[in-house]
Amino acid sequence: MTFRAPKGTDDILPPASRTWRRLLLMWEDWAARYGYDLVLLPFFETTEVFARGVGESTEVVQKQMYTFEDKGGRSLTLRPEGTASVVRAFLETGADGILKAAYSGAMFRYERPQAGRRRQFYQVGVEYLGSRAAAADAEVIELGYRYLTDAGVPGLSVLVNSIGDRVCRPAYLEVLKEYLKERRAVLCDDSLTRLESNPMRVLDCKVCAPRLSDAPSPVDHLCMECATHYDEVRAALRDMDVPYEEAPRLVRGLDYYERTAFEYVATDLETAQNAVGGGGRYDGLAELLGGKPVPGVGFALGLDRMVLTLFEVEELEPLDVYIVVAGDRRGDGAKLASNLRYEGIRTDLDVEGRSVKAQFRAADRRGAATALVVGDEWDDGRVVVKDLATGRQEVILKEEVAAWTRRT
RNA sequence: GUGACCGUAGCUCAGUUUGGUUAGAGCGCCGGGUUGUGGUCCCGGAGGUCGCGGGUUCGAAGCCCGUCGGUCACCCCA
């Protein structure tokens, strides 16, 4: 073996790829049901889009970006997430009003790979741009929940929180910092650093959190507008029968979030990375990117992690027909295959000149419903059709083959 | 970036404890048994620089050192 896929990347081959295709098709359907339209955006952006959008202080920007210089001397970065690009694209159009965008595709982060964490990973997501309404938050959260449920992710729970906005968060952060400074002695090294750079992150530090059970929560320090918004989001979720848990310690790792923050967790997953999706509101992001104010809310779901939760029987895509050629009837078999394929019937055949027995075995392995034998009967305009499930076979006119394979 | 564990056939693994002659199994793959019939069964076959490099030794898959790769966890996040 001379070459391997780069560290942290996966080749998703059949039959496993069928699961992925299923999830992607299902995603398109659910996004469309809620009125989200597809957007196809660049896989790389000007580095500044992420540096400013996602936030200089974040782990993602500080150490996980695939940044490179192109031949024109521009600093570009492979997208580590989708939201900043969608907002950038919306601002670039100069349009007003609402955009409900759905996307799917690969994201890139330079990290040490482990279960559920790859350097190239796949997300599906939506962004609801142009609305501050709590109903938008609730709709987005519901969509993710319905899709994940339909996809079959087991042990799903929806965690929600509100982390305040530009009005109330600064005051809260002061309160939190005071609290944390009094407890410097029990904080780990990472948390001591975060105390200055991003104090809310200390709340979900696995090491420190147990010792900080009485820490002030963002939800207890919301301004009137944020509190009302959060109440409305939760009320709407209840109205739509979306089960959720309030998670006062839930803090997201990207700087642009404010107000609503939420996460979808696959509690059955025994690996460490059991968050299959996350999102929130980001009313300040457009301005961080130098644009006019555009409120928004959205989420991203990790397909790799969804797949980890699924235990699917993996089999190749079944065929309708496998053509077995006897003697030197290969040309006739190929012609029949061509006709059937034109008719929309999934057809395959051997091109290696293998034995009839080997061809039947191949038909079976490929899960073909029907085998056709092209032999001497062909001269009378007939072929043998065999139902591989029952083993029954008969000789019919070749013009009748398409109809015969569609008989059930 | 830190730590732990693991690298033997396409896949899953045995063999390493006590170094010893042509390195094994199951599954998969190919062929035959059925000169035009699969899924079961029987027979046969192909396929391995034992991750790589160096060292110790009469002799290394096995012991030592290094290196590369993988996995899981921390960190962080989807």
Side-chain angles (χ1 to χ4, degrees):
Chain A
M1 196 53 66
T2 50
F3 288 108
R4 298 174 194 247
K7 191 182 188 76
T9 66
D10 295 306
D11 299 319
I12 301 164
L13 303 171
S17 55
R18 289 187 70 199
T19 300
W20 289 72
R21 198 178 66 137
R22 197 197 106 224
L23 293 177
L24 256 6
L25 290 173
M26 199 175 270
W27 169 248
E28 284 181 25
D29 179 42
W30 277 102
R33 288 195 213 184
Y34 281 71
Y36 292 79
D37 288 315
L38 178 68
V39 292
L40 297 170
L41 302 179
F43 279 34
F44 54 84
E45 294 276 354
T46 302
T47 299
E48 278 292 290
V49 170
F50 302 118
R52 289 164 63 178
V54 176
E56 297 280 4
S57 73
T58 60
E59 189 91 357
V60 169
V61 170
Q62 284 184 1
K63 15 202 269 205
Q64 300 180 344
M65 295 206 301
Y66 274 97
T67 297
F68 60 98
E69 190 173 288
D70 75 2
K71 292 180 191 291
R74 291 170 277 259
S75 178
L76 301 173
T77 295
L78 260 30
R79 61 183 187 189
E81 59 104 49
T83 304
S85 298
V86 178
V87 173
R88 188 231 85 218
F90 183 72
L91 289 172
E92 192 168 333
T93 67
D96 294 316
I98 282 173
L99 174 67
K100 294 174 70 171
Y103 62 88
S104 63
M107 306 293 163
F108 308 86
R109 291 184 198 172
Y110 188 86
E111 308 176 83
R112 283 281 283 270
Q114 72 183 73
R117 198 176 68 184
R118 317 263 73 195
R119 288 182 174 181
Q120 175 172 325
F121 58 105
Y122 296 83
Q123 291 187 335
V124 298
V126 291
E127 310 298 345
Y128 195 140
L129 297 181
S131 173
R132 307 183 71 89
D137 304 49
E139 177 186 290
V140 162
I141 294 170
E142 186 203 0
L143 166 56
Y145 173 72
R146 301 285 176 226
Y147 168 64
L148 288 168
T149 302
D150 189 31
V153 173
L156 188 64
S157 52
V158 182
L159 308 180
V160 301
N161 193 21
S162 177
I163 55 175
D165 64 7
R166 281 159 289 178
V167 176
C168 52
R169 198 189 299 164
Y172 163 69
L173 290 180
E174 287 311 310
V175 174
L176 179 62
K177 277 190 190 174
E178 277 308 307
Y179 169 88
L180 292 175
K181 281 176 183 166
E182 288 167 15
R183 272 151 247 259
R184 272 209 147 91
V186 298
L187 296 181
C188 69
D189 290 346
D190 287 333
S191 288
L192 284 173
T193 313
R194 293 193 203 104
L195 206 169
E196 293 306 326
S197 64
N198 203 342
M200 278 204 300
R201 296 218 53 79
V202 178
L203 292 181
D204 65 357
C205 169
K206 282 174 191 168
V207 183
C208 303
R211 296 195 281 263
L212 304 173
S213 52
D214 58 343
S217 274
V219 273
D220 297 325
H221 294 77
L222 298 179
C223 59
M224 189 67 85
E225 288 75 15
C226 284
T228 302
H229 185 89
Y230 190 36
D231 287 342
E232 289 173 357
V233 170
R234 286 175 295 172
L237 290 175
R238 287 193 295 275
D239 285 346
M240 295 182 292
D241 293 319
V242 176
Y244 65 87
E245 295 170 40
E246 291 180 47
R249 295 305 187 95
L250 175 63
V251 173
R252 316 241 58 237
L254 310 183
D255 283 357
Y256 53 63
Y257 287 115
E258 50 183 71
R259 293 198 168 172
T260 311
F262 59 94
E263 210 163 84
Y264 303 98
V265 177
T267 55
D268 287 7
L269 249 197
E270 290 177 7
T271 54
Q273 314 301 332
N274 65 354
V276 294
R281 178 162 279 285
Y282 45 82
D283 294 343
L285 176 54
E287 289 154 275
L288 287 175
L289 293 179
K292 64 189 177 188
V294 178
V297 58
F299 65 69
L301 309 177
L303 284 180
D304 306 72
R305 291 184 184 178
M306 287 175 66
V307 170
L308 279 183
T309 72
L310 271 17
F311 299 95
E312 306 220 334
V313 180
E314 294 184 339
E315 288 172 358
L316 291 173
E317 191 71 31
L319 293 169
D320 297 317
V321 168
Y322 196 94
I323 295 176
V324 173
V325 294
D328 68 355
R329 297 283 178 171
R330 272 208 264 168
D332 297 328
K335 185 156 174 43
L336 179 58
S338 174
N339 292 339
L340 293 177
R341 287 162 169 169
Y342 185 78
E343 293 282 335
I345 294 165
R346 296 174 185 212
T347 305
D348 207 354
L349 77 171
D350 172 65
V351 297
E352 299 289 327
R354 299 196 295 173
S355 69
V356 168
K357 174 180 181 148
Q359 292 179 70
F360 266 95
R361 194 185 304 122
D364 190 57
R365 302 263 158 89
R366 292 294 303 276
T370 304
L372 301 182
V373 183
V374 175
D376 293 337
E377 308 86 343
W378 186 263
D379 294 334
D380 302 325
R382 295 167 195 277
V383 295
V384 174
V385 294
K386 178 171 184 175
D387 182 318
L388 288 171
T390 64
R392 297 190 156 201
Q393 66 179 51
E394 57 187 299
V395 182
I396 64 172
L397 290 170
K398 60 189 180 187
E399 289 76 19
E400 296 169 352
V401 168
W404 199 89
T405 63
R406 284 195 279 249
R407 71 197 181 289
T408 43

